Amino acid sequence: MNLMCPARILLLPGDVQDAVVGERVAQVYAGPFEAAAGSNLAEHLGVKLTVVPELTQRPDAELQAIADLHRGETVVVLGLDLGLKLPAVVEHTGDGWTRVASDNEVTLAAYEQAPDKFRDTIPQDPNNALIDLLAARVAPPARLLELGSGTGRDALELERRGYLVRRTDATQAFVEMMRADGYAADRLNAITDEYGGPYDAVYASAVFLHFDRAELTAVLRKAARCAPVLAFATREGKGEEWSNRHLDLPRHFVLWQEEPLRELLNATGWTVDALTRTDSKIGSWFQVLATRS
């Protein structure tokens, strides 16, 4: 196999529900038991489905054959986890199949390495613009799920106003930081974990900007299943970028234009009640309040 240009294989669970794939896919492969789900996914993506009877009996050999056919391309394989938590992207390195870190996982690793530096360099004031939007719709003592609590800065202000906040973060270092400050906090990855609930609202300030479009689609759908109100802040702009700002470590950012953001919210079960803009040293932000459709 040409290791200079390997195939990227996106492993998805065999019972995949949402046809959410964030990159261009050349083909879908599935074992016999995943043929129906594979057919639905392939139709959604507009690509060919190939059913591989030996996929689960000879996973390494079959994956290698698939990779050899699709050098430089991305393909989906349903129902084969290789002992990994799905979804996962894998490549063959010559010594076996290696999980490729996603952009979001690289970003989380940066936060894990420098949580104190992040706390010392970000603005100290909470996002009062977003909290005010939430307060206009949901009154205390409503129960809130906060995704990406980080240092706990916004949770403090929300609690000061009388809300009951479940602090969560995907970064263990931030969870430990909040616990050390005397607050309960749960480790929760907004992309891969379930949210529990129900809650009166989901709150997420400066979190969704780390999710690619497919990841954000899944997150918005999960939020709609656990709460009738969503308040979030994300960056305005075009495209995506990597930045070492604040941490001297790489973090990935996804920027949004207003109309595509509204369209995605509508498609995932939300109606935008309010969308305002605020400015900062790094650019313009959307402050969004949405209610479940």
Coordinates of all heavy atoms in Angstrom, one line a residue, residues 196-278:
G196 N -28.6 13.2 28.9 CA -29.5 13.0 30.1 C -30.6 14.0 30.0 O -31.1 14.4 28.9
G197 N -31.1 14.4 31.2 CA -32.2 15.4 31.2 C -33.5 14.7 31.6 O -33.5 13.6 32.2
P198 N -34.6 15.4 31.4 CA -34.7 16.6 30.6 C -34.3 17.9 31.4 O -34.2 17.9 32.6 CB -36.2 16.7 30.3 CG -36.9 16.0 31.5 CD -35.9 14.9 31.9
Y199 N -34.0 18.9 30.6 CA -33.6 20.2 31.2 C -34.5 21.3 30.6 O -35.2 21.1 29.7 CB -32.1 20.6 30.7 CG -31.1 19.5 31.0 CD1 -30.8 18.6 30.1 CD2 -30.5 19.4 32.3 CE1 -29.9 17.6 30.3 CE2 -29.6 18.4 32.6 CZ -29.3 17.5 31.6 OH -28.4 16.5 31.8
D200 N -34.5 22.4 31.3 CA -35.3 23.5 30.8 C -34.6 24.3 29.6 O -35.2 24.9 28.8 CB -35.5 24.5 31.9 CG -36.4 23.9 33.0 OD1 -37.5 23.5 32.7 OD2 -35.9 23.8 34.2
A201 N -33.2 24.2 29.6 CA -32.5 24.8 28.5 C -31.1 24.2 28.4 O -30.6 23.7 29.4 CB -32.4 26.3 28.7
V202 N -30.5 24.3 27.2 CA -29.1 23.9 27.0 C -28.4 25.3 26.8 O -28.8 26.1 26.0 CB -28.9 23.0 25.9 CG1 -27.4 22.8 25.5 CG2 -29.6 21.6 26.2
Y203 N -27.2 25.4 27.5 CA -26.5 26.7 27.3 C -25.0 26.3 26.9 O -24.4 25.4 27.5 CB -26.4 27.4 28.7 CG -25.6 28.7 28.7 CD1 -26.3 29.9 28.5 CD2 -24.3 28.7 29.0 CE1 -25.6 31.1 28.6 CE2 -23.6 29.9 29.0 CZ -24.2 31.1 28.8 OH -23.5 32.2 28.9
A204 N -24.5 27.0 25.9 CA -23.2 26.7 25.4 C -22.5 28.0 24.8 O -22.9 28.4 23.7 CB -23.3 25.6 24.3
S205 N -21.6 28.5 25.6 CA -21.0 29.8 25.1 C -19.6 29.4 24.6 O -18.8 28.9 25.4 CB -20.9 30.8 26.3 OG -20.2 31.9 25.8
A206 N -19.3 29.8 23.4 CA -18.0 29.6 22.8 C -17.5 28.1 22.8 O -16.4 27.8 23.1 CB -16.9 30.5 23.5
V207 N -18.5 27.2 22.5 CA -18.2 25.8 22.4 C -18.5 25.3 21.0 O -17.6 24.5 20.4 CB -19.1 25.0 23.4 CG1 -18.9 23.5 23.3 CG2 -18.9 25.5 24.8
F208 N -19.6 25.7 20.4 CA -19.9 25.1 19.1 C -19.0 25.5 18.0 O -18.9 24.9 17.0 CB -21.3 25.6 18.7 CG -22.5 25.0 19.5 CD1 -23.8 25.5 19.4 CD2 -22.2 24.0 20.5 CE1 -24.8 24.9 20.1 CE2 -23.2 23.5 21.3 CZ -24.5 24.0 21.1
L209 N -18.2 26.5 18.2 CA -17.2 27.0 17.2 C -16.1 26.0 17.0 O -15.3 26.0 16.1 CB -16.6 28.3 17.6 CG -15.6 28.4 18.7 CD1 -15.0 29.9 18.8 CD2 -16.1 28.0 20.1
H210 N -16.0 25.0 17.9 CA -15.0 23.9 17.8 C -15.5 22.7 17.0 O -14.8 21.7 16.8 CB -14.5 23.4 19.1 CG -13.7 24.5 19.9 ND1 -12.7 25.2 19.3 CD2 -13.7 24.9 21.2 CE1 -12.1 26.0 20.2 NE2 -12.8 25.9 21.3
F211 N -16.8 22.7 16.7 CA -17.4 21.5 16.0 C -17.5 21.7 14.5 O -17.9 22.8 14.1 CB -18.8 21.3 16.6 CG -18.9 21.1 18.1 CD1 -20.1 21.3 18.7 CD2 -17.8 20.6 18.8 CE1 -20.1 21.1 20.1 CE2 -17.8 20.4 20.1 CZ -19.0 20.7 20.8
D212 N -17.1 20.7 13.7 CA -17.3 20.9 12.3 C -18.8 20.8 12.0 O -19.6 20.5 13.0 CB -16.5 19.8 11.5 CG -17.0 18.4 11.7 OD1 -18.1 18.1 12.0 OD2 -16.1 17.5 11.6
R213 N -19.2 20.9 10.8 CA -20.6 21.1 10.5 C -21.4 19.8 10.8 O -22.6 19.8 11.2 CB -20.8 21.5 9.1 CG -20.6 23.1 9.0 CD -20.0 23.5 7.7 NE -19.9 25.0 7.7 CZ -18.9 25.7 8.2 NH1 -17.9 25.0 8.8 NH2 -18.8 27.0 8.2
A214 N -20.8 18.6 10.5 CA -21.5 17.4 10.8 C -21.6 17.2 12.3 O -22.6 16.7 12.8 CB -20.7 16.2 10.2
E215 N -20.5 17.5 13.1 CA -20.6 17.4 14.5 C -21.6 18.3 15.1 O -22.4 17.9 16.0 CB -19.2 17.7 15.1 CG -18.1 16.6 14.8 CD -16.7 17.1 15.1 OE1 -16.5 18.3 15.2 OE2 -15.8 16.2 15.2
L216 N -21.7 19.5 14.6 CA -22.7 20.5 15.2 C -24.1 20.0 14.9 O -25.0 20.2 15.7 CB -22.4 21.9 14.6 CG -23.4 22.9 15.2 CD1 -23.3 23.0 16.7 CD2 -23.0 24.3 14.6
T217 N -24.3 19.4 13.7 CA -25.6 18.9 13.4 C -26.1 17.9 14.4 O -27.2 17.9 14.9 CB -25.6 18.3 12.0 OG1 -25.3 19.3 11.0 CG2 -26.9 17.6 11.6
A218 N -25.2 16.9 14.7 CA -25.5 15.9 15.7 C -25.7 16.5 17.1 O -26.7 16.1 17.8 CB -24.4 14.9 15.7
V219 N -24.9 17.5 17.5 CA -25.1 18.1 18.8 C -26.4 18.8 18.9 O -27.1 18.8 19.9 CB -23.9 19.1 19.0 CG1 -24.2 20.0 20.2 CG2 -22.6 18.3 19.3
L220 N -26.8 19.6 17.8 CA -28.1 20.3 17.9 C -29.2 19.3 18.0 O -30.2 19.6 18.7 CB -28.2 21.2 16.6 CG -27.2 22.4 16.5 CD1 -27.3 23.0 15.2 CD2 -27.5 23.4 17.7
R221 N -29.2 18.2 17.3 CA -30.3 17.2 17.4 C -30.3 16.6 18.8 O -31.4 16.4 19.3 CB -30.0 16.1 16.3 CG -30.3 16.6 14.9 CD -30.0 15.5 13.9 NE -30.4 15.9 12.6 CZ -29.9 15.4 11.5 NH1 -29.1 14.3 11.5 NH2 -30.3 15.8 10.3
K222 N -29.2 16.4 19.4 CA -29.2 15.8 20.8 C -29.8 16.9 21.7 O -30.5 16.5 22.7 CB -27.8 15.4 21.2 CG -27.4 14.1 20.5 CD -26.3 13.4 21.2 CE -25.0 14.1 21.1 NZ -23.8 13.3 21.7
A223 N -29.4 18.1 21.5 CA -29.9 19.2 22.4 C -31.4 19.3 22.3 O -32.1 19.5 23.3 CB -29.2 20.5 22.1
A224 N -31.9 19.1 21.1 CA -33.4 19.2 20.9 C -34.1 18.1 21.6 O -35.3 18.2 21.9 CB -33.7 19.3 19.4
R225 N -33.5 17.0 21.8 CA -34.1 15.8 22.5 C -34.2 16.0 24.0 O -34.9 15.3 24.7 CB -33.4 14.5 22.1 CG -33.6 14.1 20.7 CD -33.2 12.7 20.5 NE -31.8 12.4 20.6 CZ -30.9 12.4 19.6 NH1 -31.3 12.7 18.3 NH2 -29.6 12.1 19.8
C226 N -33.4 16.9 24.6 CA -33.3 17.0 26.0 C -33.8 18.3 26.6 O -33.9 18.5 27.8 CB -31.9 16.7 26.5 SG -30.7 18.0 26.3
A227 N -34.0 19.3 25.7 CA -34.5 20.6 26.3 C -35.2 21.4 25.2 O -35.0 21.3 24.0 CB -33.3 21.5 26.7
P228 N -36.2 22.3 25.6 CA -37.0 23.0 24.7 C -36.3 24.4 24.3 O -36.8 25.0 23.4 CB -38.3 23.3 25.4 CG -37.9 23.3 26.9 CD -36.7 22.4 27.0
V229 N -35.3 24.7 24.9 CA -34.6 26.0 24.7 C -33.1 25.8 24.6 O -32.5 25.0 25.3 CB -34.9 27.1 25.8 CG1 -34.2 28.4 25.6 CG2 -36.4 27.3 25.9
L230 N -32.5 26.6 23.6 CA -31.1 26.5 23.4 C -30.5 27.9 23.3 O -31.0 28.8 22.6 CB -30.8 25.8 22.1 CG -29.3 25.8 21.6 CD1 -28.4 25.0 22.5 CD2 -29.3 25.2 20.2
A231 N -29.5 28.2 24.1 CA -28.8 29.5 24.1 C -27.3 29.2 23.8 O -26.7 28.4 24.5 CB -28.9 30.2 25.4
F232 N -26.7 29.8 22.7 CA -25.3 29.5 22.4 C -24.7 30.7 21.8 O -25.4 31.6 21.2 CB -25.2 28.3 21.6 CG -25.6 28.4 20.2 CD1 -24.7 28.7 19.1 CD2 -26.9 28.2 19.8 CE1 -25.2 28.9 17.8 CE2 -27.4 28.3 18.5 CZ -26.5 28.6 17.5
A233 N -23.4 30.8 21.8 CA -22.6 31.8 21.2 C -21.5 31.1 20.3 O -20.9 30.2 20.7 CB -21.9 32.7 22.2
T234 N -21.4 31.6 19.1 CA -20.3 31.1 18.2 C -19.8 32.2 17.3 O -20.4 33.3 17.2 CB -20.9 29.9 17.4 OG1 -19.8 29.2 16.8 CG2 -21.8 30.4 16.2
R235 N -18.7 31.9 16.6 CA -18.0 33.0 15.9 C -18.6 33.2 14.5 O -19.1 32.3 13.8 CB -16.5 32.6 15.6 CG -15.6 32.6 16.9 CD -15.0 34.0 17.0 NE -14.3 34.3 15.8 CZ -13.0 33.9 15.4 NH1 -12.4 33.0 16.2 NH2 -12.5 34.3 14.3
E236 N -18.7 34.4 14.1 CA -19.1 34.8 12.7 C -17.9 34.9 11.8 O -16.8 35.3 12.2 CB -19.8 36.2 12.7 CG -20.3 36.6 11.3 CD -21.0 37.9 11.3 OE1 -20.9 38.6 12.3 OE2 -21.7 38.2 10.3
G237 N -18.0 34.4 10.6 CA -16.9 34.4 9.6 C -17.2 33.4 8.5 O -18.2 32.8 8.4
K238 N -16.1 33.2 7.8 CA -16.2 32.2 6.7 C -15.1 31.1 6.8 O -14.0 31.4 7.2 CB -16.0 32.9 5.3 CG -17.1 33.9 5.0 CD -16.9 34.5 3.6 CE -18.0 35.4 3.2 NZ -17.8 36.1 1.8
G239 N -15.5 29.9 6.6 CA -14.6 28.8 6.5 C -14.1 28.3 7.9 O -14.9 28.4 8.9
E240 N -12.9 27.8 8.0 CA -12.4 27.2 9.2 C -11.0 27.7 9.4 O -10.3 28.2 8.4 CB -12.4 25.7 9.1 CG -13.8 25.1 8.9 CD -13.7 23.6 8.8 OE1 -12.7 23.0 9.1 OE2 -14.7 23.0 8.3
E241 N -10.4 27.6 10.6 CA -9.1 28.1 10.9 C -8.5 27.4 12.0 O -9.2 26.8 12.9 CB -9.1 29.6 11.1 CG -9.8 30.0 12.4 CD -9.8 31.5 12.7 OE1 -9.8 32.3 11.7 OE2 -9.8 31.9 13.8
W242 N -7.2 27.3 12.1 CA -6.4 26.8 13.2 C -5.7 28.0 13.9 O -5.3 28.9 13.2 CB -5.3 25.8 12.8 CG -5.9 24.5 12.5 CD1 -6.3 24.0 11.2 CD2 -6.1 23.4 13.4 NE1 -6.7 22.7 11.3 CE2 -6.7 22.3 12.6 CE3 -6.0 23.3 14.8 CZ2 -7.0 21.1 13.2 CZ3 -6.3 22.0 15.3 CH2 -6.8 21.0 14.6
S243 N -5.7 28.1 15.2 CA -5.1 29.2 15.9 C -4.4 28.7 17.1 O -4.8 27.8 17.8 CB -6.2 30.2 16.3 OG -5.6 31.2 17.1
N244 N -3.2 29.4 17.4 CA -2.5 29.2 18.7 C -2.8 30.2 19.7 O -2.1 30.3 20.7 CB -1.0 29.1 18.4 CG -0.6 27.9 17.6 OD1 -1.4 27.0 17.4 ND2 0.7 27.8 17.3
R245 N -3.8 31.1 19.4 CA -4.1 32.2 20.3 C -4.4 31.7 21.7 O -5.1 30.7 21.9 CB -5.3 32.9 19.7 CG -5.8 34.1 20.5 CD -7.0 34.8 19.7 NE -8.0 33.9 19.4 CZ -8.3 33.5 18.2 NH1 -7.6 33.9 17.1 NH2 -9.3 32.6 18.0
H246 N -3.9 32.4 22.7 CA -4.1 32.2 24.2 C -3.3 31.0 24.7 O -2.7 31.1 25.8 CB -5.6 31.8 24.5 CG -6.5 33.0 24.3 ND1 -6.3 34.2 24.8 CD2 -7.7 33.1 23.7 CE1 -7.3 35.1 24.5 NE2 -8.2 34.4 23.9
L247 N -3.2 29.9 24.0 CA -2.5 28.7 24.6 C -1.2 28.4 24.0 O -0.5 27.5 24.5 CB -3.4 27.5 24.4 CG -4.8 27.6 25.1 CD1 -5.5 26.2 24.9 CD2 -4.7 27.9 26.5
D248 N -0.8 29.0 22.8 CA 0.4 28.5 22.1 C 0.3 27.1 21.7 O 1.3 26.4 21.6 CB 1.7 28.8 22.9 CG 1.9 30.3 23.1 OD1 1.5 31.1 22.2 OD2 2.4 30.7 24.2
L249 N -0.9 26.6 21.5 CA -1.2 25.2 21.1 C -2.3 25.3 20.1 O -3.2 26.2 20.2 CB -1.6 24.4 22.3 CG -0.6 24.1 23.4 CD1 -1.2 23.5 24.7 CD2 0.5 23.1 22.9
P250 N -2.3 24.3 19.1 CA -3.3 24.4 18.1 C -4.8 24.1 18.5 O -5.0 23.1 19.2 CB -2.8 23.4 17.0 CG -2.1 22.4 17.9 CD -1.4 23.2 19.0
R251 N -5.7 25.0 18.1 CA -7.1 24.8 18.3 C -7.8 25.0 17.0 O -7.4 26.0 16.3 CB -7.7 25.6 19.4 CG -7.2 25.3 20.8 CD -7.8 26.2 21.9 NE -7.4 27.6 21.7 CZ -8.1 28.6 22.0 NH1 -9.3 28.5 22.6 NH2 -7.7 29.9 21.8
H252 N -8.8 24.3 16.7 CA -9.6 24.4 15.5 C -10.9 25.1 15.7 O -11.6 24.9 16.7 CB -9.9 22.9 15.0 CG -10.5 22.9 13.6 ND1 -11.8 22.5 13.4 CD2 -10.0 23.3 12.4 CE1 -12.1 22.6 12.1 NE2 -11.1 23.1 11.5
F253 N -11.2 26.0 14.7 CA -12.3 26.9 14.8 C -13.1 26.8 13.5 O -12.5 26.8 12.4 CB -12.0 28.3 15.1 CG -11.3 28.6 16.4 CD1 -9.9 28.4 16.5 CD2 -12.0 28.9 17.6 CE1 -9.3 28.6 17.8 CE2 -11.4 29.1 18.8 CZ -10.1 28.9 18.9
V254 N -14.4 26.7 13.7 CA -15.4 26.7 12.5 C -16.2 28.0 12.6 O -16.8 28.2 13.6 CB -16.2 25.5 12.5 CG1 -17.2 25.5 11.3 CG2 -15.4 24.2 12.5
L255 N -16.2 28.8 11.5 CA -16.9 30.0 11.5 C -18.2 29.9 10.7 O -18.3 29.1 9.9 CB -16.0 31.1 10.9 CG -14.5 31.2 11.5 CD1 -13.8 32.3 10.8 CD2 -14.6 31.4 13.0
W256 N -19.1 30.8 11.0 CA -20.5 30.7 10.4 C -20.9 32.0 9.9 O -20.6 33.1 10.4 CB -21.5 30.2 11.5 CG -21.4 28.8 11.8 CD1 -20.6 28.2 12.7 CD2 -22.1 27.7 11.1 NE1 -20.8 26.8 12.7 CE2 -21.7 26.5 11.7 CE3 -23.0 27.7 10.0 CZ2 -22.2 25.3 11.2 CZ3 -23.5 26.5 9.6 CH2 -23.1 25.3 10.2
Q257 N -21.7 31.9 8.8 CA -22.5 33.0 8.3 C -23.9 32.9 8.8 O -24.4 31.8 9.1 CB -22.5 33.0 6.8 CG -21.1 33.3 6.1 CD -20.7 34.7 6.3 OE1 -21.2 35.6 5.6 NE2 -19.7 35.0 7.2
E258 N -24.7 34.0 8.9 CA -26.0 33.9 9.5 C -27.0 33.0 8.9 O -27.6 32.2 9.5 CB -26.6 35.3 9.6 CG -27.9 35.3 10.3 CD -28.5 36.7 10.5 OE1 -27.7 37.7 10.3 OE2 -29.7 36.8 10.7
E259 N -27.1 33.1 7.5 CA -28.1 32.3 6.9 C -27.9 30.8 7.0 O -28.8 30.0 7.3 CB -28.3 32.7 5.4 CG -29.1 34.0 5.3 CD -30.4 34.0 6.1 OE1 -31.2 33.1 5.9 OE2 -30.6 34.9 6.9
P260 N -26.6 30.3 6.7 CA -26.4 28.9 6.9 C -26.6 28.4 8.3 O -27.1 27.3 8.5 CB -24.9 28.7 6.4 CG -24.7 29.8 5.5 CD -25.5 31.0 6.1
L261 N -26.3 29.2 9.3 CA -26.5 28.9 10.7 C -28.0 28.8 11.0 O -28.5 27.8 11.6 CB -25.9 29.9 11.6 CG -26.0 29.6 13.1 CD1 -25.3 28.3 13.4 CD2 -25.3 30.7 13.9
R262 N -28.8 29.7 10.5 CA -30.3 29.6 10.7 C -30.8 28.4 10.0 O -31.7 27.7 10.5 CB -30.9 30.9 10.1 CG -30.8 32.1 10.9 CD -31.5 33.3 10.3 NE -31.4 34.5 11.1 CZ -32.3 34.9 12.0 NH1 -33.3 34.0 12.3 NH2 -32.1 36.0 12.7
E263 N -30.3 28.1 8.8 CA -30.8 26.9 8.1 C -30.5 25.6 8.8 O -31.4 24.7 8.9 CB -30.2 26.9 6.7 CG -30.7 28.0 5.7 CD -29.9 28.0 4.4 OE1 -29.0 27.2 4.2 OE2 -30.2 28.9 3.6
L264 N -29.3 25.5 9.4 CA -29.0 24.3 10.1 C -29.8 24.2 11.4 O -30.3 23.1 11.7 CB -27.5 24.3 10.5 CG -27.0 23.1 11.3 CD1 -27.2 21.8 10.6 CD2 -25.5 23.3 11.7
L265 N -30.1 25.3 12.1 CA -30.9 25.2 13.3 C -32.3 24.8 12.9 O -32.9 23.9 13.5 CB -31.0 26.6 13.9 CG -29.7 26.9 14.7 CD1 -29.6 28.4 15.0 CD2 -29.7 26.2 16.1
N266 N -32.9 25.3 11.8 CA -34.2 24.8 11.3 C -34.2 23.4 11.0 O -35.2 22.6 11.3 CB -34.6 25.7 10.1 CG -35.0 27.1 10.5 OD1 -35.3 27.4 11.6 ND2 -34.9 28.0 9.5
A267 N -33.1 22.9 10.3 CA -33.1 21.5 9.9 C -32.9 20.5 11.1 O -33.2 19.3 10.9 CB -31.9 21.3 8.9
T268 N -32.5 21.0 12.2 CA -32.2 20.1 13.4 C -33.3 20.3 14.5 O -33.1 19.8 15.6 CB -30.8 20.4 13.9 OG1 -30.6 21.8 14.2 CG2 -29.7 19.9 13.0
G269 N -34.4 21.0 14.1 CA -35.5 21.0 15.1 C -35.6 22.3 15.9 O -36.3 22.3 16.9
W270 N -35.0 23.4 15.5 CA -35.0 24.6 16.2 C -35.5 25.8 15.4 O -35.4 25.8 14.2 CB -33.5 25.0 16.7 CG -32.9 24.0 17.6 CD1 -32.0 23.0 17.3 CD2 -33.2 23.9 19.0 NE1 -31.7 22.3 18.4 CE2 -32.4 22.8 19.5 CE3 -34.0 24.5 19.9 CZ2 -32.4 22.4 20.8 CZ3 -34.0 24.1 21.2 CH2 -33.2 23.1 21.7
T271 N -36.2 26.7 16.1 CA -36.6 28.0 15.6 C -35.8 29.1 16.3 O -35.8 29.2 17.5 CB -38.1 28.2 15.8 OG1 -38.8 27.1 15.1 CG2 -38.6 29.5 15.3
V272 N -35.2 30.0 15.5 CA -34.4 31.0 16.1 C -35.4 32.1 16.6 O -36.1 32.7 15.8 CB -33.5 31.6 15.0 CG1 -32.7 32.8 15.6 CG2 -32.5 30.5 14.6
D273 N -35.3 32.4 17.9 CA -36.1 33.5 18.5 C -35.3 34.8 18.5 O -35.9 35.8 18.4 CB -36.4 33.1 19.9 CG -37.5 32.1 20.0 OD1 -38.0 31.6 19.0 OD2 -38.0 31.8 21.2
A274 N -34.0 34.7 18.7 CA -33.2 35.9 18.7 C -31.8 35.6 18.2 O -31.2 34.5 18.6 CB -33.2 36.5 20.1
L275 N -31.2 36.5 17.4 CA -29.8 36.3 17.0 C -29.2 37.7 17.0 O -29.7 38.6 16.2 CB -29.7 35.7 15.6 CG -28.3 35.4 15.1 CD1 -28.3 34.2 14.1 CD2 -27.7 36.6 14.4
T276 N -28.3 38.0 17.9 CA -27.6 39.3 18.0 C -26.1 39.1 17.7 O -25.6 38.0 17.8 CB -27.9 39.9 19.3 OG1 -27.3 39.1 20.3 CG2 -29.4 40.1 19.6
R277 N -25.4 40.2 17.5 CA -24.0 40.2 17.3 C -23.3 41.0 18.4 O -23.8 42.0 18.8 CB -23.6 40.8 15.9 CG -24.0 39.9 14.7 CD -23.6 40.6 13.4 NE -23.8 39.7 12.3 CZ -24.9 39.5 11.6 NH1 -26.0 40.1 12.1 NH2 -24.9 38.7 10.6
T278 N -22.2 40.5 18.8 CA -21.3 41.2 19.7 C -19.9 41.2 19.2 O -19.5 40.2 18.4 CB -21.3 40.6 21.1 OG1 -21.0 39.2 21.1 CG2 -22.7 40.7 21.8

